[in-house]
Coordinates of all heavy atoms in Angstrom, one line a residue:
M1 N -14.7 -2.9 -3.6 CA -13.7 -3.4 -2.6 C -12.4 -3.9 -3.2 O -11.5 -3.7 -2.8 CB -14.3 -4.5 -1.8 CG -13.6 -4.9 -0.6 SD -13.3 -3.7 0.5 CE -12.5 -4.5 1.8
A2 N -12.7 -4.4 -4.5 CA -11.3 -4.9 -5.1 C -10.4 -3.8 -5.5 O -9.2 -3.9 -5.3 CB -11.7 -5.7 -6.5
E3 N -11.0 -2.6 -5.7 CA -10.1 -1.5 -6.0 C -9.4 -1.0 -4.7 O -8.3 -0.7 -4.7 CB -11.0 -0.2 -6.4 CG -11.5 -0.4 -7.8 CD -12.4 0.7 -8.2 OE1 -12.1 1.8 -7.8 OE2 -13.4 0.5 -8.8
I4 N -10.1 -1.1 -3.5 CA -9.6 -0.8 -2.3 C -8.4 -1.7 -1.9 O -7.4 -1.3 -1.6 CB -10.6 -0.8 -1.2 CG1 -11.6 0.4 -1.4 CG2 -9.9 -0.6 0.2 CD1 -12.7 0.4 -0.4
L5 N -8.7 -3.1 -2.2 CA -7.6 -4.1 -1.8 C -6.4 -3.9 -2.7 O -5.4 -4.4 -2.3 CB -8.3 -5.5 -1.8 CG -9.2 -5.7 -0.7 CD1 -9.8 -7.2 -0.8 CD2 -8.5 -5.6 0.7
A6 N -6.6 -3.5 -4.0 CA -5.5 -3.4 -4.9 C -4.5 -2.2 -4.6 O -3.5 -2.3 -4.9 CB -6.1 -3.2 -6.3
T7 N -5.0 -1.4 -3.8 CA -4.1 -0.3 -3.4 C -3.1 -0.6 -2.4 O -3.4 -1.4 -1.4 CB -5.0 0.8 -2.7 OG1 -6.0 1.3 -3.5 CG2 -4.0 2.2 -2.4
K8 N -1.7 -0.4 -2.7 CA -0.7 -0.9 -1.9 C -0.2 -0.1 -0.8 O 0.3 -0.5 0.2 CB 0.5 -1.1 -2.8 CG 0.1 -2.1 -4.0 CD 0.7 -3.5 -3.6 CE 0.4 -4.4 -4.8 NZ 0.3 -5.8 -4.5
T9 N -0.4 1.3 -0.9 CA 0.2 2.1 0.3 C -0.9 3.1 0.6 O -1.9 3.3 0.0 CB 1.4 3.0 -0.4 OG1 0.8 3.7 -1.5 CG2 2.4 2.0 -0.7
S10 N -0.6 3.6 1.7 CA -1.5 4.8 2.3 C -0.6 6.0 2.6 O -0.5 6.4 3.7 CB -2.3 4.3 3.5 OG -3.2 5.2 3.9
L11 N -0.1 6.6 1.5 CA 0.7 7.7 1.6 C -0.1 9.0 1.5 O -1.1 9.0 0.9 CB 1.9 7.7 0.6 CG 2.7 6.4 0.5 CD1 3.6 6.5 -0.7 CD2 3.6 6.4 1.9
P12 N 0.4 10.1 2.1 CA -0.3 11.4 1.9 C -0.5 11.7 0.5 O 0.4 11.5 -0.4 CB 0.6 12.4 2.6 CG 1.5 11.5 3.5 CD 1.7 10.2 2.9
G13 N -1.7 12.0 0.1 CA -2.0 12.4 -1.3 C -2.5 11.3 -2.0 O -3.1 11.5 -3.1
C14 N -2.5 10.1 -1.5 CA -3.0 8.9 -2.3 C -4.6 8.9 -2.0 O -5.0 9.3 -1.1 CB -2.5 7.6 -1.7 SG -0.7 7.5 -2.4
E15 N -5.2 8.3 -2.9 CA -6.7 8.4 -2.9 C -7.3 7.4 -1.9 O -8.2 7.6 -1.1 CB -7.3 8.1 -4.2 CG -7.0 9.2 -5.3 CD -7.8 10.5 -4.9 OE1 -8.9 10.4 -4.5 OE2 -7.2 11.5 -5.0
G16 N -6.8 6.0 -2.0 CA -7.4 5.0 -1.3 C -6.6 4.6 0.0 O -5.4 4.9 0.1
P17 N -7.1 3.8 0.8 CA -6.5 3.1 2.0 C -5.5 2.1 1.4 O -5.6 1.7 0.3 CB -7.6 2.6 2.8 CG -8.7 2.3 1.8 CD -8.6 3.3 0.8
G18 N -4.5 1.7 2.2 CA -3.5 0.7 2.0 C -4.2 -0.6 2.0 O -5.3 -0.8 2.5
T19 N -3.4 -1.7 1.6 CA -3.9 -3.0 1.6 C -4.4 -3.4 3.1 O -5.4 -4.1 3.2 CB -2.9 -3.9 1.0 OG1 -2.6 -3.5 -0.3 CG2 -3.4 -5.4 0.9
F20 N -3.4 -3.4 4.0 CA -3.7 -3.7 5.3 C -4.9 -2.9 5.9 O -5.8 -3.6 6.5 CB -2.5 -3.6 6.2 CG -1.4 -4.6 5.9 CD1 -0.1 -4.1 5.7 CD2 -1.6 -5.9 5.9 CE1 0.9 -4.9 5.3 CE2 -0.6 -6.7 5.6 CZ 0.6 -6.3 5.3
E21 N -4.9 -1.7 5.7 CA -6.0 -0.8 6.2 C -7.4 -1.2 5.4 O -8.4 -1.3 6.2 CB -5.7 0.6 5.7 CG -6.6 1.6 6.4 CD -6.3 3.0 6.0 OE1 -5.7 3.2 5.0 OE2 -6.5 3.9 6.8
A22 N -7.3 -1.6 4.3 CA -8.6 -2.0 3.6 C -9.1 -3.5 4.1 O -10.3 -3.7 4.4 CB -8.3 -2.1 2.1
A23 N -8.0 -4.3 4.3 CA -8.5 -5.6 4.8 C -9.1 -5.6 6.3 O -9.9 -6.2 6.7 CB -7.4 -6.6 4.8
R24 N -8.4 -4.7 7.1 CA -8.9 -4.5 8.4 C -10.3 -3.9 8.4 O -11.2 -4.2 9.2 CB -7.9 -3.7 9.3 CG -6.7 -4.4 9.6 CD -5.6 -3.5 10.2 NE -4.4 -4.0 10.7 CZ -3.2 -3.5 10.7 NH1 -3.1 -2.3 10.4 NH2 -2.2 -4.3 11.1
A25 N -10.5 -2.9 7.6 CA -11.8 -2.2 7.5 C -12.9 -3.2 7.0 O -14.0 -3.2 7.5 CB -11.7 -1.0 6.5
G26 N -12.5 -4.0 6.1 CA -13.4 -5.0 5.5 C -13.8 -5.9 6.7 O -15.0 -6.4 6.9
A27 N -12.9 -6.4 7.5 CA -13.1 -7.2 8.7 C -14.0 -6.6 9.7 O -14.9 -7.1 10.2 CB -11.8 -7.7 9.3
L28 N -13.7 -5.3 10.0 CA -14.4 -4.6 11.0 C -15.9 -4.5 10.4 O -16.9 -4.5 11.2 CB -13.9 -3.2 11.3 CG -14.6 -2.3 12.3 CD1 -14.7 -3.1 13.7 CD2 -13.9 -1.1 12.6
F29 N -16.0 -4.1 9.2 CA -17.4 -4.0 8.5 C -18.1 -5.3 8.6 O -19.4 -5.3 8.9 CB -17.1 -3.7 7.0 CG -18.3 -3.6 6.3 CD1 -18.7 -2.3 5.8 CD2 -19.1 -4.7 5.8 CE1 -19.9 -2.0 5.1 CE2 -20.2 -4.6 5.0 CZ -20.8 -3.2 4.7
A30 N -17.5 -6.4 8.6 CA -18.1 -7.8 8.6 C -18.3 -8.3 10.0 O -18.9 -9.3 10.2 CB -17.2 -8.8 7.7
S31 N -17.7 -7.5 11.0 CA -17.8 -8.0 12.4 C -19.2 -7.8 12.9 O -20.1 -7.1 12.4 CB -16.6 -7.3 13.2 OG -17.1 -6.0 13.5
T32 N -19.4 -8.1 14.2 CA -20.5 -7.9 14.9 C -20.7 -6.5 15.5 O -21.7 -6.0 16.0 CB -20.9 -9.0 15.9 OG1 -19.8 -8.9 16.8 CG2 -21.0 -10.4 15.3
L33 N -19.5 -5.8 15.6 CA -19.6 -4.4 16.2 C -20.4 -3.5 15.4 O -20.5 -3.5 14.2 CB -18.1 -3.8 16.3 CG -17.2 -4.7 17.2 CD1 -15.8 -3.8 17.3 CD2 -17.8 -4.7 18.5
Q34 N -21.1 -2.7 16.1 CA -22.0 -1.6 15.5 C -21.4 -0.3 15.5 O -20.9 0.1 16.6 CB -23.4 -1.8 16.1 CG -24.1 -3.1 15.8 CD -24.3 -3.4 14.4 OE1 -24.8 -2.6 13.6 NE2 -24.0 -4.5 13.9
P35 N -21.7 0.5 14.6 CA -21.2 1.9 14.6 C -21.9 2.7 15.8 O -21.2 3.6 16.3 CB -21.7 2.6 13.3 CG -21.9 1.4 12.5 CD -22.2 0.2 13.2
S36 N -23.0 2.3 16.2 CA -23.7 3.0 17.3 C -23.0 2.8 18.6 O -23.3 3.6 19.5 CB -25.2 2.6 17.4 OG -25.3 1.2 17.5
G37 N -22.3 1.9 18.7 CA -21.5 1.5 20.0 C -20.3 2.4 20.2 O -19.8 3.0 19.3
S38 N -19.9 2.4 21.5 CA -18.7 3.1 21.8 C -17.6 2.1 22.1 O -17.7 1.5 23.2 CB -18.8 4.1 23.0 OG -17.6 4.7 23.4
H39 N -16.7 1.8 21.1 CA -15.8 0.7 21.3 C -14.4 1.1 21.6 O -13.8 2.2 20.9 CB -15.9 -0.1 19.9 CG -17.2 -0.5 19.5 ND1 -17.9 -1.4 20.2 CD2 -17.9 -0.1 18.5 CE1 -19.1 -1.6 19.6 NE2 -19.1 -0.8 18.6
S40 N -13.7 0.4 22.4 CA -12.3 0.7 22.8 C -11.4 0.2 21.6 O -11.9 -0.6 20.8 CB -12.0 0.1 24.1 OG -11.9 -1.3 23.8
P41 N -10.3 0.8 21.6 CA -9.3 0.2 20.5 C -9.2 -1.2 20.7 O -9.0 -2.0 19.6 CB -8.1 1.1 20.8 CG -8.5 2.3 21.3 CD -9.7 2.0 22.2
G42 N -9.1 -1.8 21.9 CA -8.9 -3.1 22.1 C -10.0 -4.0 21.6 O -9.8 -5.0 21.0
Q43 N -11.2 -3.5 21.8 CA -12.4 -4.2 21.2 C -12.4 -4.2 19.7 O -12.7 -5.2 19.1 CB -13.8 -3.5 21.7 CG -13.9 -3.7 23.1 CD -15.2 -2.8 23.5 OE1 -15.3 -1.6 23.2 NE2 -16.2 -3.5 24.2
I44 N -12.0 -3.1 19.1 CA -11.9 -3.1 17.6 C -10.8 -4.1 17.2 O -11.0 -4.8 16.2 CB -11.7 -1.6 17.1 CG1 -13.0 -0.8 17.4 CG2 -11.3 -1.6 15.7 CD1 -12.7 0.6 17.3
R45 N -9.6 -4.0 17.8 CA -8.6 -4.9 17.3 C -9.0 -6.5 17.4 O -8.7 -7.2 16.6 CB -7.3 -4.7 18.1 CG -6.6 -3.4 17.9 CD -5.3 -3.2 18.7 NE -4.7 -2.0 18.5 CZ -3.7 -1.9 17.6 NH1 -3.2 -2.9 16.9 NH2 -3.1 -0.7 17.5
R46 N -9.6 -6.8 18.6 CA -10.1 -8.2 18.9 C -11.1 -8.6 17.8 O -11.2 -9.7 17.3 CB -10.6 -8.3 20.2 CG -9.5 -8.3 21.3 CD -10.2 -8.8 22.7 NE -11.1 -7.8 23.2 CZ -10.6 -6.7 23.8 NH1 -9.4 -6.4 24.0 NH2 -11.4 -5.9 24.4
A47 N -12.1 -7.5 17.5 CA -13.1 -7.8 16.4 C -12.5 -8.1 15.1 O -12.9 -9.0 14.4 CB -14.1 -6.7 16.4
V48 N -11.6 -7.3 14.7 CA -10.9 -7.3 13.4 C -10.2 -8.7 13.4 O -10.3 -9.5 12.4 CB -9.9 -6.3 13.2 CG1 -8.9 -6.4 12.0 CG2 -10.6 -4.9 12.9
A49 N -9.4 -9.1 14.4 CA -8.7 -10.3 14.5 C -9.5 -11.5 14.3 O -9.4 -12.5 13.6 CB -7.8 -10.5 15.7
A50 N -10.7 -11.5 15.2 CA -11.5 -12.6 15.2 C -12.3 -12.8 13.9 O -12.5 -14.0 13.4 CB -12.6 -12.4 16.3
T51 N -12.7 -11.7 13.2 CA -13.4 -11.8 12.0 C -12.4 -12.3 10.9 O -12.9 -13.1 10.1 CB -14.0 -10.4 11.6 OG1 -14.8 -10.0 12.6 CG2 -14.9 -10.5 10.4
L52 N -11.2 -11.8 10.9 CA -10.3 -12.3 9.9 C -9.9 -13.8 10.1 O -9.8 -14.5 9.1 CB -9.0 -11.4 10.0 CG -9.0 -10.1 9.3 CD1 -7.8 -9.3 9.7 CD2 -9.2 -10.2 7.8
Q53 N -9.8 -14.2 11.4 CA -9.7 -15.6 11.6 C -10.9 -16.5 11.2 O -10.7 -17.5 10.6 CB -9.4 -15.8 13.1 CG -8.2 -16.4 13.4 CD -8.0 -16.6 14.9 OE1 -8.7 -16.1 15.7 NE2 -6.9 -17.2 15.3
R54 N -12.0 -15.9 11.4 CA -13.2 -16.7 11.0 C -13.5 -16.7 9.6 O -13.9 -17.7 8.9 CB -14.5 -16.1 11.8 CG -15.7 -16.8 11.7 CD -16.8 -16.3 12.5 NE -17.0 -14.8 12.6 CZ -17.7 -14.0 11.8 NH1 -18.5 -14.7 10.8 NH2 -17.8 -12.8 11.9
L55 N -13.4 -15.5 8.8 CA -13.8 -15.5 7.5 C -12.7 -15.3 6.5 O -12.8 -15.7 5.3 CB -14.7 -14.2 7.3 CG -15.9 -14.1 8.0 CD1 -16.7 -12.8 7.8 CD2 -16.9 -15.2 7.6
G56 N -11.5 -14.9 7.0 CA -10.3 -14.7 6.0 C -10.6 -13.4 5.3 O -11.7 -12.8 5.4
V57 N -9.7 -12.9 4.6 CA -9.8 -11.6 3.9 C -10.7 -11.9 2.7 O -11.7 -10.9 2.6 CB -8.4 -11.2 3.2 CG1 -8.5 -10.1 2.3 CG2 -7.4 -10.9 4.4
R58 N -10.8 -12.9 2.1 CA -11.6 -13.2 0.9 C -13.1 -13.2 1.5 O -14.0 -12.6 0.9 CB -11.4 -14.5 0.2 CG -12.4 -14.7 -0.8 CD -11.9 -15.9 -1.7 NE -10.8 -15.4 -2.7 CZ -10.4 -16.0 -3.6 NH1 -10.8 -17.3 -3.9 NH2 -9.5 -15.5 -4.3
G59 N -13.4 -13.9 2.6 CA -14.8 -13.9 3.2 C -15.2 -12.6 3.6 O -16.4 -12.3 3.4
C60 N -14.3 -11.8 4.2 CA -14.8 -10.4 4.6 C -15.1 -9.6 3.3 O -16.1 -8.8 3.4 CB -13.6 -9.6 5.3 SG -13.3 -10.4 7.0
T61 N -14.2 -9.7 2.3 CA -14.5 -8.9 1.1 C -15.9 -9.4 0.4 O -16.6 -8.6 -0.1 CB -13.4 -9.3 0.0 OG1 -12.0 -8.8 0.7 CG2 -13.5 -8.5 -1.3
E62 N -16.1 -10.8 0.4 CA -17.4 -11.1 -0.1 C -18.6 -10.7 0.7 O -19.6 -10.2 0.1 CB -17.4 -12.7 -0.1 CG -16.5 -13.4 -1.1 CD -16.3 -14.8 -0.9 OE1 -16.9 -15.4 0.1 OE2 -15.8 -15.4 -1.8
Q63 N -18.5 -10.6 2.0 CA -19.5 -10.1 2.9 C -19.7 -8.6 2.5 O -20.8 -8.2 2.4 CB -19.3 -10.3 4.3 CG -20.5 -10.0 5.1 CD -20.3 -10.6 6.5 OE1 -19.7 -11.5 6.8 NE2 -21.1 -10.0 7.6
V64 N -18.7 -7.7 2.4 CA -18.7 -6.4 2.1 C -19.4 -6.2 0.8 O -20.4 -5.4 0.6 CB -17.4 -5.8 2.1 CG1 -17.4 -4.3 1.5 CG2 -16.7 -5.7 3.5
A65 N -19.0 -6.9 -0.3 CA -19.5 -6.8 -1.6 C -21.1 -7.2 -1.6 O -21.9 -6.4 -2.2 CB -18.9 -7.8 -2.6
S66 N -21.4 -8.2 -0.8 CA -22.8 -8.6 -0.7 C -23.7 -7.5 -0.1 O -24.7 -7.2 -0.6 CB -23.0 -9.8 0.2 OG -24.4 -10.2 0.4
E67 N -23.2 -6.9 1.0 CA -23.9 -5.8 1.6 C -24.0 -4.6 0.8 O -25.0 -3.9 0.7 CB -23.1 -5.4 2.9 CG -23.4 -6.4 4.1 CD -24.9 -6.5 4.4 OE1 -25.6 -5.6 4.6 OE2 -25.4 -7.7 4.6
F68 N -22.9 -4.3 0.0 CA -22.9 -3.2 -0.9 C -24.0 -3.4 -2.0 O -24.7 -2.5 -2.5 CB -21.6 -2.8 -1.5 CG -21.0 -1.7 -0.7 CD1 -20.0 -2.1 0.4 CD2 -21.0 -0.4 -1.0 CE1 -19.3 -1.2 1.0 CE2 -20.4 0.6 -0.1 CZ -19.5 0.2 0.8
G69 N -24.0 -4.6 -2.5 CA -25.2 -5.0 -3.5 C -26.6 -5.0 -2.9 O -27.5 -4.5 -3.6
D70 N -26.8 -5.5 -1.7 CA -28.2 -5.6 -1.1 C -28.6 -4.3 -0.4 O -29.7 -4.0 -0.5 CB -28.1 -6.7 -0.1 CG -27.9 -8.1 -0.7 OD1 -28.0 -8.2 -1.9 OD2 -27.6 -9.0 0.1
H71 N -27.7 -3.6 0.2 CA -28.0 -2.4 1.1 C -27.0 -1.3 0.8 O -26.3 -1.0 1.8 CB -28.1 -2.8 2.5 CG -28.9 -3.9 2.7 ND1 -30.3 -3.8 2.8 CD2 -28.6 -5.2 3.1 CE1 -30.8 -5.1 3.0 NE2 -29.7 -6.0 3.3
P72 N -26.8 -0.8 -0.4 CA -25.8 0.2 -0.6 C -26.0 1.4 0.3 O -24.9 2.0 0.6 CB -26.0 0.6 -2.1 CG -27.3 0.2 -2.6 CD -27.7 -1.0 -1.5
D73 N -27.1 1.8 0.6 CA -27.3 3.0 1.4 C -26.7 2.9 2.8 O -26.1 3.8 3.2 CB -28.8 3.4 1.4 CG -29.7 2.3 1.8 OD1 -29.3 1.1 1.5 OD2 -30.7 2.5 2.7
T74 N -26.9 1.8 3.4 CA -26.3 1.7 4.7 C -24.8 1.1 4.7 O -24.1 1.4 5.6 CB -27.2 0.6 5.6 OG1 -27.3 -0.6 4.9 CG2 -28.5 1.1 5.8
A75 N -24.5 0.4 3.6 CA -23.1 -0.2 3.5 C -22.1 1.0 3.4 O -21.0 1.0 4.0 CB -23.1 -1.0 2.3
V76 N -22.5 2.0 2.7 CA -21.5 3.2 2.6 C -21.2 3.8 3.9 O -20.0 4.1 4.3 CB -22.1 4.3 1.6 CG1 -21.3 5.5 1.7 CG2 -22.2 3.7 0.1
A77 N -22.2 4.0 4.8 CA -22.0 4.7 6.1 C -21.2 3.6 6.9 O -20.3 4.1 7.7 CB -23.5 4.9 6.7
R78 N -21.6 2.3 6.9 CA -20.8 1.4 7.7 C -19.3 1.3 7.3 O -18.6 1.2 8.1 CB -21.5 0.0 7.6 CG -20.8 -1.0 8.6 CD -21.7 -2.3 8.7 NE -21.0 -3.2 9.5 CZ -21.0 -3.3 10.8 NH1 -21.7 -2.4 11.5 NH2 -20.4 -4.1 11.5
M79 N -19.0 1.4 6.0 CA -17.6 1.3 5.6 C -17.0 2.6 6.0 O -15.7 2.6 6.3 CB -17.5 1.1 4.1 CG -16.1 0.9 3.5 SD -15.1 -0.3 4.5 CE -15.6 -1.8 3.7
S80 N -17.6 3.8 5.8 CA -17.0 5.0 6.3 C -16.7 4.8 7.8 O -15.5 5.3 8.2 CB -18.0 6.2 6.1 OG -18.1 6.3 4.7
W81 N -17.6 4.4 8.6 CA -17.3 4.2 10.0 C -16.1 3.2 10.2 O -15.2 3.5 11.0 CB -18.5 3.6 10.6 CG -18.3 3.1 12.1 CD1 -18.1 3.8 13.2 CD2 -18.2 1.7 12.4 NE1 -17.8 2.9 14.2 CE2 -17.9 1.6 13.8 CE3 -18.2 0.5 11.7 CZ2 -17.7 0.3 14.4 CZ3 -18.1 -0.7 12.3 CH2 -17.8 -0.8 13.7
A82 N -16.1 2.1 9.4 CA -15.0 1.1 9.7 C -13.7 1.6 9.3 O -12.7 1.6 10.0 CB -15.4 -0.1 8.8
L83 N -13.5 2.4 8.2 CA -12.4 3.0 7.8 C -11.9 4.0 8.8 O -10.7 4.1 9.1 CB -12.4 3.7 6.4 CG -12.3 2.7 5.3 CD1 -12.8 3.4 4.0 CD2 -11.0 2.1 5.1
A84 N -12.7 4.8 9.3 CA -12.4 5.9 10.4 C -11.8 5.1 11.6 O -10.9 5.7 12.2 CB -13.5 6.8 10.6
M85 N -12.5 4.1 12.1 CA -12.1 3.3 13.2 C -10.6 2.7 13.0 O -9.9 2.9 13.8 CB -13.1 2.3 13.6 CG -14.5 2.8 14.1 SD -14.2 3.9 15.6 CE -14.3 5.5 14.9
I86 N -10.5 2.2 11.8 CA -9.3 1.5 11.5 C -8.2 2.5 11.6 O -7.0 2.3 12.1 CB -9.3 0.7 10.2 CG1 -10.3 -0.5 10.3 CG2 -7.9 0.2 9.7 CD1 -10.0 -1.4 11.4
Q87 N -8.3 3.7 10.9 CA -7.4 4.8 10.9 C -7.0 5.3 12.1 O -5.8 5.7 12.4 CB -7.9 5.8 9.9 CG -7.9 5.4 8.5 CD -8.6 6.4 7.5 OE1 -9.2 7.3 8.1 NE2 -8.4 6.2 6.3
T88 N -7.9 5.2 13.1 CA -7.7 5.7 14.5 C -7.0 4.7 15.2 O -6.0 4.9 16.0 CB -9.0 5.9 15.2 OG1 -9.8 7.0 14.4 CG2 -8.8 6.4 16.7
V89 N -7.4 3.4 15.2 CA -6.9 2.2 16.0 C -5.4 1.8 15.5 O -4.6 1.5 16.2 CB -7.8 1.1 16.0 CG1 -7.3 -0.2 16.8 CG2 -9.1 1.5 16.8
Y90 N -5.3 1.8 14.2 CA -4.0 1.5 13.5 C -3.5 2.6 12.7 O -3.5 2.6 11.4 CB -4.3 0.2 12.5 CG -4.9 -1.0 13.2 CD1 -6.3 -1.2 13.0 CD2 -4.2 -2.1 13.6 CE1 -6.8 -2.4 13.6 CE2 -4.7 -3.2 14.1 CZ -6.0 -3.4 14.1 OH -6.5 -4.5 14.5
P91 N -2.9 3.6 13.3 CA -2.5 4.8 12.6 C -1.4 4.4 11.7 O -0.4 3.5 12.1 CB -2.0 5.7 13.7 CG -1.8 4.8 15.0 CD -2.7 3.7 14.8
V92 N -1.3 5.1 10.6 CA -0.2 4.9 9.6 C 1.0 5.7 10.0 O 0.9 6.8 10.3 CB -0.7 5.3 8.2 CG1 0.5 5.2 7.2 CG2 -1.9 4.5 7.7
P93 N 2.2 4.9 10.1 CA 3.3 5.7 10.6 C 3.7 6.9 9.6 O 3.4 6.6 8.4 CB 4.5 4.6 10.6 CG 3.9 3.4 10.0 CD 2.5 3.6 9.9
A94 N 4.2 8.0 10.0 CA 4.6 9.0 9.2 C 5.7 8.6 8.3 O 6.5 7.8 8.7 CB 5.1 10.2 10.0
V95 N 5.7 9.0 7.1 CA 6.7 8.8 6.1 C 7.7 9.9 6.2 O 7.4 11.0 6.1 CB 6.1 8.6 4.7 CG1 7.2 8.4 3.7 CG2 5.0 7.6 4.7
A96 N 9.0 9.4 6.3 CA 10.2 10.4 6.5 C 10.4 10.9 5.1 O 10.3 10.3 4.2 CB 11.4 9.7 7.0
P97 N 10.6 12.3 5.0 CA 10.8 12.9 3.8 C 12.1 12.3 3.2 O 13.0 12.1 3.9 CB 10.9 14.4 4.1 CG 11.2 14.4 5.6 CD 10.7 13.2 6.1
V98 N 12.2 12.2 1.9 CA 13.4 11.8 1.2 C 14.3 13.0 1.2 O 14.0 14.0 0.8 CB 13.0 11.3 -0.2 CG1 14.3 11.0 -0.9 CG2 12.1 10.1 -0.1
P99 N 15.6 12.7 1.6 CA 16.5 13.8 1.5 C 16.7 14.4 0.0 O 16.6 13.5 -1.0 CB 17.8 13.3 2.0 CG 17.7 11.8 2.0 CD 16.1 11.5 2.0
D100 N 17.1 15.5 -0.1 CA 17.3 16.2 -1.4 C 18.5 15.4 -1.9 O 19.6 15.5 -1.5 CB 17.5 17.7 -1.3 CG 17.7 18.3 -2.7 OD1 17.2 17.8 -3.7 OD2 18.2 19.5 -2.6
L101 N 18.3 14.7 -3.0 CA 19.4 13.9 -3.7 C 19.9 14.8 -4.8 O 19.4 15.2 -5.6 CB 18.9 12.6 -4.2 CG 18.3 11.6 -3.3 CD1 17.7 10.5 -4.0 CD2 19.3 11.2 -2.2
R102 N 21.3 15.1 -4.6 CA 22.0 16.0 -5.4 C 23.1 15.1 -6.2 O 23.6 14.2 -5.5 CB 22.7 17.1 -4.9 CG 21.6 18.0 -4.4 CD 22.2 19.4 -4.0 NE 21.1 20.3 -3.5 CZ 21.0 20.8 -2.4 NH1 22.0 20.6 -1.3 NH2 20.1 21.6 -1.9
P103 N 23.3 15.3 -7.5 CA 24.4 14.5 -8.1 C 25.8 14.7 -7.4 O 26.1 15.8 -7.0 CB 24.4 15.0 -9.6 CG 23.3 15.9 -9.7 CD 22.7 16.2 -8.4
L104 N 26.4 13.7 -7.3 CA 27.7 13.7 -6.7 C 28.7 14.3 -7.7 O 28.7 13.9 -8.9 CB 28.2 12.5 -6.2 CG 27.4 11.9 -5.1 CD1 28.0 10.4 -4.6 CD2 27.6 12.7 -3.8
A105 N 29.7 15.1 -7.2 CA 30.8 15.6 -8.2 C 31.9 14.6 -8.0 O 32.3 14.4 -7.0 CB 31.1 17.1 -7.8
F106 N 32.3 14.1 -9.1 CA 33.5 13.2 -9.1 C 34.7 13.9 -9.4 O 34.8 14.8 -10.4 CB 33.2 12.1 -10.2 CG 32.2 11.1 -9.8 CD1 30.9 11.2 -10.3 CD2 32.4 10.2 -8.9 CE1 29.9 10.4 -9.9 CE2 31.4 9.3 -8.5 CZ 30.2 9.4 -9.0
A107 N 35.7 13.8 -8.7 CA 37.0 14.4 -8.9 C 37.8 13.7 -10.0 O 37.6 12.5 -10.1 CB 37.9 14.3 -7.6
S108 N 38.4 14.4 -10.8 CA 39.1 13.7 -12.0 C 40.5 13.8 -11.8 O 41.2 14.4 -11.0 CB 38.8 14.3 -13.3 OG 38.9 15.8 -13.3

């Protein structure tokens, strides 16, 4: 989880999720919502907010780490679900392409 939280951006071609995305996924992972349920975006947002308020980012990270240590087989599936839900509910805005920068010609 430390590697995930250390990632700063979620740009196309990057390996891991961004910091906010990772914190939200950790909060959803630590929440009472279950992957087997059919949750609305509002329910997911409320669960993330309530869990972050209750545990904070550090508390969520500690709970995620504990679950990965105690139950790695189920923790992987739960984190995959949490990341997928966060990416759906909190979409990353598209990054505008950088215009082709050409050197300016200076008149002499």
Side-chain angles (χ1 to χ4, degrees):
M1 187 66 176
E3 292 175 37
I4 293 174
L5 288 176
T7 305
K8 299 261 186 208
T9 58
S10 185
L11 300 173
C14 287
E15 292 294 319
T19 303
F20 291 124
E21 188 178 31
R24 289 170 175 154
L28 183 57
F29 182 101
S31 77
T32 59
L33 293 184
Q34 295 299 312
S36 58
S38 178
H39 308 291
S40 71
Q43 288 174 310
I44 291 171
R45 286 177 183 270
R46 284 189 296 276
V48 167
T51 306
L52 283 172
Q53 239 179 354
R54 183 170 47 90
L55 299 175
V57 174
R58 178 172 283 188
C60 292
T61 303
E62 288 170 355
Q63 191 165 339
V64 168
S66 176
E67 285 299 313
F68 269 88
D70 296 341
H71 310 285
D73 50 327
T74 57
V76 170
R78 184 167 177 83
M79 183 52 80
S80 295
W81 165 77
L83 280 168
M85 292 298 99
I86 295 304
Q87 290 167 348
T88 300
V89 173
Y90 301 91
V92 177
V95 177
V98 176
D100 186 21
L101 300 176
R102 295 193 177 119
L104 297 173
F106 290 100
S108 44

